[in-house]
Amino acid sequence: MSKVLLLVLVVFYSGFPSKGISSVSTRPRAVNIGAILSFNSTIGRVAKVAIQAAVDDINSNATILNGTKLKISMLDTKLSAGFLGIIDSFLLMERETVAIIGPQYSVMAHVISHIANEMQVPLLSFAATDPTLTSLQFPYFVRTTQSDLYQMAAVAEIVDHFQWRDVIALYVDDDHGRNGIAALADKLAEKRCKISYKVPFKPDNIIREEINSALVKVALMESKVIIIHMYTSSGLEVLHQAAQSLGMMGSGYVWIATDWLSTVLDSDPSLSTSQTMNDIQGIITLRMHTPESDVKRKFISRWDKLSRKENSNQDPFGLNIFGFYAYDTVWVLASALDSFFKDGGTLSFSNDSSLNILRRDTLNLDTMGVFVNGGMLRQKVLEVNRTGLTGQMVFNPDGNLVHPSYEIINVIGTGIRRIGYWSETSGLHTGEDPNRYNSSDGLYGVIWPGQTVFSSNGRNLRIGVPLRISYREFVSRIEGTEMFGGYCIDVFTAALNLLPYPVPYMFIPFGDGKTNPLNSDLLHMITIGAFDAVVGDITITTNRTKIVDFTQPYIESGLVVVAPIKKLKSSAWAFLSPFSPMMWFVTGMFFLVVGAVVWILERRVNDDFRGPARRQFVTIIWFSFSTLFFAQREKTVSTLGRLVLIIWLFVVLILNSSYIASLTSILTVEQLSSPVKGIESLVISNDRIGFLRGSFAENYLTEELNIHRSRLVPLNSPSEYEKALKDGPANGGVTAIIDERAYMELFLATRCEYSIVGQEFTKMGWGFAFPRDSPLAIDMSTAILKLSENGDLQRIHDKWLTRSACSSEGAKQGIDRLELKSFWGLFLLSGIACFIALLCYVARMAYRFSRHSNTNLDHSSQSSRLRSFLSFVNEREEEVKYRPKRRRKEKCSCRKVVHEGGSLDDSTVSVHIENNATAQD
């Protein structure tokens, strides 16, 4: 390439005496323009479509050039940044080209600018950003994009913003890279910063070993702030090696990439889902700013169709910033040509006799002509003032666009986030208009590689803290200082200390100090970028999670009902309180039932259960209730009776223990009473309810529980709570207060005449708030869990929220009576035992009755058999055993009488037997 360049320069410097001049009419039918691009590059393939679209739009509108058509010749340099571009420029000069759009690479622009100077052909480049191109050496070079001089000024201001003193520069070692880094060094010097180490890379064909070798040296440097100014392919490879091989994308490193990175992110939609995104997390990059407009939005909507038309066999590609500038470049040239023709300019070309020595060359360089009015066209280009896709296109005398501005972008997750702007007039700021100084200085919070967080002022994370006037145990400013203390503050600082990386921060009070600030307003400050986080008593609700991210809750605090209470006085009948009336009734019935069952089972074999009817009734009653104290005197001798009694005594033991425990509690623990039983009783009543002003409780009560808003009374402080409860609804006060448990426990700590009634009816918690998708929220959640596991969270709670003696007296609301449902299993067990015992006893008696009964009963009636069975059951066991012997003796006696005195009839024998039996009894 150097030999060809030398040859060209020798020819040009020998002069170009004219052999003749060819010219065309003032308004020709067509004008030849050229474009030198690399069609397969990230910028070139987008620019090719944009340039062709601009030519088509201009040619389709006859009013722009008054019928003159633009005839574009686009030549592909095949990714070459040197020789092929020179050849293409020669080819364009042979075609009497009046202007060249491009070239795309700064290296090529340096060479072709020499040719453009000699041929007096304006060179309009939309992508060559080398600052040295706009020098007196290249008068025909016009930059229709923004110079790297301004981009490096923005980078230097970012470095100074975060107060870094030295940086490391990685760059491609060609005109583009060297001159860009030289401009950066100058701008850093103005900020009293410096480049401590430079790492050049080959422009092309860079190998992995060279990258690793260079990055190893970088990793050993003291500075961890790295500026990377390269081309797309080599830049991504360097970042990949830094991330995957050397771990240089972790915490502690800062990477700032120039606009090459934003260009590839905009151009390749598939990049967001590829592994490459993992390699560039946390990097800051820059992108030339173009204001929003209708023409820009319309062109963006056309882009998909345009790109598919040009590359029907390939996947569609995104529209990057250089595509906008390429489109506007054609329009700038069209506007300049129109003004050129209006002022009488003609397309005249003169042949140069000095090129005759190259006549036999296949390039036909002797056919190249000098554009006679090229200087006039160049001046018309510099005088253009129009609004395009990229905004106002106005040039300064050096051929650079005025009012340069850049967007500062942070790569996060699968996308990018704008964290601010830089402009030549306003510097770094976070407003919506880069060129107007009407917004805050600095940047929004930056997430660096390794998820290290710095705030927008470059030094500290801005933490919003509510300036409370009540419940200062949670958050309060320490008197006479700018420091804050309290439960929430201690939890936050303890969690920060557990993070694996340092997070500098500062607390910023929010509120007027006269009323408690609204939490919704405090969270809104995060969404507008005023705060980087909020620490305080912030309840996590569904609506709030839609605008910010919360950490893991560090305290549970659902809504509760607080109402006045009265102490219940002990009565003479307090001993009846442990059991409910139904419990007393069932227990008494079972005493009688068990006594009767034991009497039945013991009557035949136990003399203690025999005797006159009155005595037996008293025995049943006494035996039943004496088991309550295990003091029964009667012994049980039957197996079934002992089984029933043993199960019943177990039941009595449980009943007795439960009764004693409940009665002890009733007589020793103070009992409280309140007309309000909980949230359910409040919902169905019409009583007035108090709540904390600004709390989410208001919306919850009206929207979820359908309580009419007229019943709700907003209150501001614990003293207002107390006064409203004392006054009551009859005197303009409230029946109850609804607030979060954490507040109410502090409120009740010194106010024993009030208490929480009913159950907590919401399950919520407090958390620290961060911007959406903040990695710090995740890390802080992990830290809070660690605090909970190691016990520090409880220790902090005890330090600030320890209950006083009033709230820990153990007072009990109402009387907790023992219900039948708690003991029905025991009663069922005893009942089954009684039933089975009776069933076995009846079966046994029926069997024995059938064996010992008289055979004459077989012919008797059913009533007679029943009477005989009951009589049999009522007899003692001994009588039944010896009855067969007596019957045999009686029969023998009858036979003897008959033998001695003659025959006896049946009636006489029967009477005789009965008389004998009576005598024996």
Side-chain angles (χ1 to χ4, degrees):
M1 184 186 75
S2 59
K3 294 181 179 179
V4 175
L5 177 61
L6 180 60
L7 176 62
V8 172
L9 292 178
V10 170
V11 172
F12 289 159
Y13 279 109
S14 63
F16 293 88
S18 176
K19 289 175 58 178
I21 297 176
S22 61
S23 63
V24 296
S25 62
T26 304
R27 284 283 180 178
R29 300 185 60 182
V31 177
N32 294 329
I33 62 174
I36 302 176
L37 309 171
S38 176
F39 292 171
N40 292 328
S41 66
T42 302
I43 296 175
R45 65 170 176 261
V46 174
K48 178 184 177 184
V49 177
I51 291 173
Q52 187 61 57
V55 171
D56 293 340
D57 292 344
I58 293 170
N59 289 338
S60 63
N61 190 344
T63 61
I64 297 174
L65 289 173
N66 292 326
T68 300
K69 303 293 184 181
L70 295 180
K71 186 177 180 181
I72 184 76
S73 296
M74 286 190 282
L75 302 180
D76 185 10
T77 61
K78 309 289 185 185
L79 295 176
S80 171
F83 180 75
L84 291 182
I86 298 173
I87 301 302
D88 289 339
S89 65
F90 289 161
L91 295 176
L92 291 176
M93 297 303 180
E94 294 177 359
R95 302 172 186 175
E96 297 186 343
T97 301
V98 299
I100 297 176
I101 298 175
Q104 161 182 337
Y105 295 103
S106 296
V107 175
M108 192 183 300
H110 274 276
V111 178
I112 299 178
S113 292
H114 288 285
I115 303 174
N117 289 346
E118 298 299 333
M119 298 293 103
Q120 300 180 21
V121 175
L123 192 64
L124 286 71
S125 180
F126 60 89
T129 56
D130 178 3
T132 63
L133 285 170
T134 52
S135 63
L136 298 177
Q137 184 182 8
F138 306 120
Y140 281 86
F141 179 86
V142 179
R143 195 194 317 272
T144 56
T145 187
Q146 298 180 22
S147 171
D148 276 344
L149 180 67
Y150 305 113
Q151 180 174 207
M152 296 308 170
V155 172
E157 192 155 343
I158 293 173
V159 172
D160 179 65
H161 174 68
F162 289 102
Q163 292 193 340
W164 298 314
R165 294 297 94 190
D166 57 353
V167 300
I168 296 173
L170 310 182
Y171 61 97
V172 59
D173 195 13
D174 62 6
D175 293 336
H176 169 69
R178 285 191 304 272
N179 294 332
I181 294 302
L184 174 63
D186 293 340
K187 294 299 181 180
L188 286 173
E190 295 175 5
K191 305 290 184 181
R192 296 186 178 181
C193 304
K194 65 177 181 178
I195 300 176
S196 60
Y197 188 66
K198 295 181 181 181
V199 182
F201 291 96
K202 292 191 301 185
D204 50 13
N205 298 324
I206 183 172
I207 61 176
R208 182 173 299 179
E209 288 74 17
E210 293 176 351
I211 295 176
N212 285 337
S213 177
L215 290 178
V216 167
K217 296 178 182 179
V218 172
L220 297 176
M221 296 293 143
E222 181 179 355
S223 175
K224 301 301 180 183
V225 181
I226 304 170
I227 314 297
I228 180 168
H229 183 54
M230 305 183 73
Y231 296 122
T232 300
S233 57
S234 56
L236 290 178
E237 182 62 24
V238 169
L239 293 177
H240 176 73
Q241 294 300 318
Q244 300 298 324
S245 300
L246 300 176
M248 296 175 65
M249 285 296 171
S251 178
Y253 282 91
V254 174
W255 288 81
I256 302 176
T258 51
D259 57 7
W260 66 267
L261 182 57
S262 62
T263 300
V264 71
L265 289 174
D266 293 338
S267 305
D268 191 357
S270 63
L271 197 64
S272 60
T273 59
S274 65
Q275 177 62 32
T276 304
M277 289 301 293
N278 296 330
D279 300 335
I280 60 176
Q281 290 296 302
I283 291 181
I284 279 186
T285 184
L286 292 86
R287 179 169 59 194
M288 287 177 276
H289 173 71
T290 57
E292 296 297 324
S293 62
D294 290 337
V295 291
K296 179 181 176 181
R297 283 188 287 269
K298 290 178 181 179
F299 185 74
I300 293 174
S301 65
R302 293 171 53 195
W303 180 255
D304 187 67
K305 182 178 179 181
L306 292 173
S307 61
R308 289 182 182 275
K309 178 181 178 181
E310 183 67 25
N311 299 274
S312 58
N313 298 326
Q314 301 179 6
D315 293 333
F317 44 86
L319 176 60
N320 57 46
I321 196 69
F322 292 98
F324 293 128
Y325 279 107
Y327 183 89
D328 280 352
T329 299
V330 181
W331 279 89
V332 167
L333 180 56
S335 299
L337 285 171
D338 183 57
S339 178
F340 174 81
F341 291 136
K342 287 180 179 178
D343 289 347
T346 59
L347 303 183
S348 301
F349 293 87
S350 63
N351 295 326
D352 191 346
S353 59
S354 299
L355 295 178
N356 290 335
I357 61 175
L358 301 176
R359 180 176 300 172
R360 294 181 180 180
D361 191 85
T362 55
L363 290 176
N364 299 320
L365 295 180
D366 60 325
T367 63
M368 295 171 58
V370 177
F371 185 17
V372 176
N373 292 321
M376 179 181 179
L377 179 59
R378 168 190 172 275
Q379 187 60 37
K380 293 299 181 181
V381 170
L382 295 177
E383 292 174 357
V384 169
N385 186 347
R386 68 178 305 275
T387 300
L389 301 180
T390 58
Q392 198 71 19
M393 300 290 288
V394 180
F395 297 90
N396 62 22
D398 294 333
N400 284 320
L401 290 174
V402 299
H403 305 310
S405 59
Y406 284 83
E407 299 175 24
I408 314 300
I409 295 170
N410 194 192
V411 180
I412 302 174
T414 59
I416 56 178
R417 181 172 68 99
R418 187 176 63 232
I419 58 175
Y421 294 97
W422 177 90
S423 67
E424 188 180 26
T425 56
S426 302
L428 290 178
H429 60 87
T430 57
E432 289 301 323
D433 189 345
N435 294 304
R436 291 186 181 179
Y437 192 74
N438 58 354
S439 53
S440 60
D441 293 338
L443 302 170
Y444 290 123
V446 181
I447 301 177
W448 300 104
Q451 298 181 346
T452 303
V453 180
F454 296 86
S455 71
S456 59
N457 63 10
R459 300 180 183 90
N460 298 312
L461 202 69
R462 296 169 300 175
I463 310 296
V465 180
L467 203 59
R468 296 195 60 88
I469 62 170
S470 61
Y471 300 119
R472 297 172 59 85
E473 294 85 351
F474 295 109
V475 177
S476 63
R477 175 185 280 174
I478 300 176
E479 296 295 336
T481 69
E482 295 298 321
M483 302 175 63
F484 283 81
Y487 172 72
C488 301
I489 301 297
D490 280 6
V491 173
F492 178 76
T493 54
L496 277 184
N497 292 334
L498 294 179
L499 295 180
Y501 49 84
V503 179
Y505 66 92
M506 62 181 295
F507 289 127
I508 301 176
F510 179 81
D512 57 8
K514 300 178 181 179
T515 59
N516 291 325
L518 299 181
N519 287 338
S520 56
D521 295 341
L522 188 56
L523 295 177
H524 178 68
M525 300 297 289
I526 294 180
T527 63
I528 63 175
F531 292 151
D532 301 309
V534 166
V535 172
D537 47 343
I538 310 298
T539 304
I540 303 173
T541 64
T542 302
N543 289 335
R544 291 173 180 176
T545 56
K546 295 178 180 178
I547 60 174
V548 296
D549 280 353
F550 283 96
T551 63
Q552 170 81 14
Y554 57 88
I555 187 174
E556 294 184 358
S557 185
L559 293 176
V560 294
V561 178
V562 171
I565 55 172
K566 295 181 180 179
K567 297 180 181 180
L568 293 178
K569 297 181 180 179
S570 180
S571 67
W573 302 99
F575 66 90
L576 295 176
S577 300
F579 286 168
S580 65
M582 179 58 69
M583 183 67 182
W584 278 118
F585 173 76
V586 173
T587 303
M589 292 300 299
F590 259 83
F591 273 115
L592 297 177
V593 168
V594 171
V597 170
V598 172
W599 176 79
I600 293 174
L601 298 177
E602 293 289 323
R603 175 168 173 73
R604 285 175 57 82
V605 295
N606 193 341
D607 290 338
D608 290 341
F609 292 90
R610 298 186 65 83
R614 181 179 180 182
R615 177 189 171 192
Q616 294 179 46
F617 178 76
V618 172
T619 298
I620 292 174
I621 300 298
W622 164 256
F623 178 82
S624 299
F625 289 97
S626 63
T627 58
L628 181 63
F629 311 101
F630 306 99
Q632 65 276 9
R633 297 180 302 172
E634 295 78 10
K635 296 181 179 180
T636 53
V637 297
S638 67
T639 302
L640 293 176
R642 289 176 176 176
L643 175 65
V644 170
L645 186 61
I646 250 197
I647 294 177
W648 174 245
L649 290 178
F650 173 74
V651 175
V652 169
L653 175 65
I654 301 301
L655 293 176
N656 196 9
S657 302
S658 302
Y659 176 85
I660 293 174
S662 180
L663 183 61
T664 302
S665 175
I666 291 173
L667 296 179
T668 58
V669 178
E670 187 178 36
Q671 305 295 314
L672 308 175
S673 176
S674 172
V676 179
K677 303 303 178 184
I679 187 62
E680 295 82 3
S681 63
L682 284 178
V683 171
I684 62 177
S685 70
N686 292 319
D687 297 332
R688 289 157 56 90
I689 304 171
F691 69 95
L692 181 64
R693 184 186 301 274
S695 169
F696 74 96
E698 180 179 11
N699 290 335
Y700 182 85
L701 295 175
T702 56
E703 296 175 5
E704 301 295 333
L705 301 181
N706 297 320
I707 296 177
H708 199 275
R709 200 173 295 270
S710 61
R711 293 177 53 194
L712 303 181
V713 180
L715 303 171
N716 295 310
S717 64
S719 58
E720 292 188 15
Y721 281 7
E722 186 174 12
K723 182 179 184 304
L725 289 172
K726 282 184 178 180
D727 293 343
N731 298 319
V734 297
T735 299
I737 299 290
I738 292 180
D739 206 345
E740 297 182 64
R741 176 177 288 276
Y743 297 138
M744 291 296 93
E745 288 180 349
L746 286 178
F747 174 78
L748 298 174
T750 56
R751 298 172 176 86
C752 300
E753 64 271 25
Y754 309 105
S755 177
I756 295 175
V757 296
Q759 300 295 321
E760 184 176 317
F761 57 92
T762 62
K763 295 295 182 182
M764 296 179 177
W766 293 354
F768 304 128
F770 293 88
R772 298 281 291 177
D773 301 322
S774 170
L776 189 56
I778 300 174
D779 293 345
M780 286 292 288
S781 294
T782 304
I784 290 172
L785 291 176
K786 291 180 181 178
L787 290 176
S788 178
E789 292 171 357
N790 61 26
D792 289 344
L793 194 61
Q794 184 61 43
R795 283 188 283 272
I796 297 173
H797 180 278
D798 295 340
K799 172 185 175 182
W800 291 98
L801 308 179
T802 302
R803 299 179 182 179
S804 67
C806 178
S807 61
S808 59
E809 288 178 347
K812 204 159 101 171
Q813 167 117 23
I815 299 174
D816 296 330
R817 290 183 169 181
L818 300 175
E819 301 288 343
L820 179 61
K821 61 183 179 181
S822 301
F823 300 94
W824 69 268
L826 291 173
F827 288 123
L828 178 62
L829 178 64
S830 180
I832 292 175
C834 292
F835 176 76
I836 293 176
L838 286 177
L839 187 63
C840 294
Y841 179 76
V842 171
R844 180 169 172 264
M845 289 297 101
Y847 173 74
R848 297 188 61 182
F849 175 71
S850 64
R851 292 187 57 189
H852 294 280
S853 62
N854 194 314
T855 56
N856 292 333
L857 292 175
D858 295 339
H859 303 289
S860 61
S861 64
Q862 293 292 334
S863 58
S864 299
R865 288 177 61 84
L866 180 60
R867 285 194 299 272
S868 299
F869 175 73
L870 293 176
S871 177
F872 174 78
V873 171
N874 191 43
E875 293 178 356
R876 284 178 54 82
E877 186 70 22
E878 289 79 2
E879 295 177 2
V880 176
K881 290 181 179 179
Y882 293 107
R883 179 179 294 177
K885 296 180 180 180
R886 292 197 304 270
R887 286 183 177 274
R888 286 195 295 271
K889 291 179 181 180
E890 291 168 357
K891 289 181 180 179
C892 292
S893 176
C894 290
R895 285 196 296 271
K896 184 176 180 181
V897 172
V898 171
H899 179 72
E900 294 177 353
S903 62
L904 295 173
D905 56 11
D906 293 337
S907 60
T908 304
V909 174
S910 176
V911 171
H912 182 68
I913 294 173
E914 291 176 0
N915 291 335
N916 290 336
T918 303
Q920 292 176 2
D921 289 337

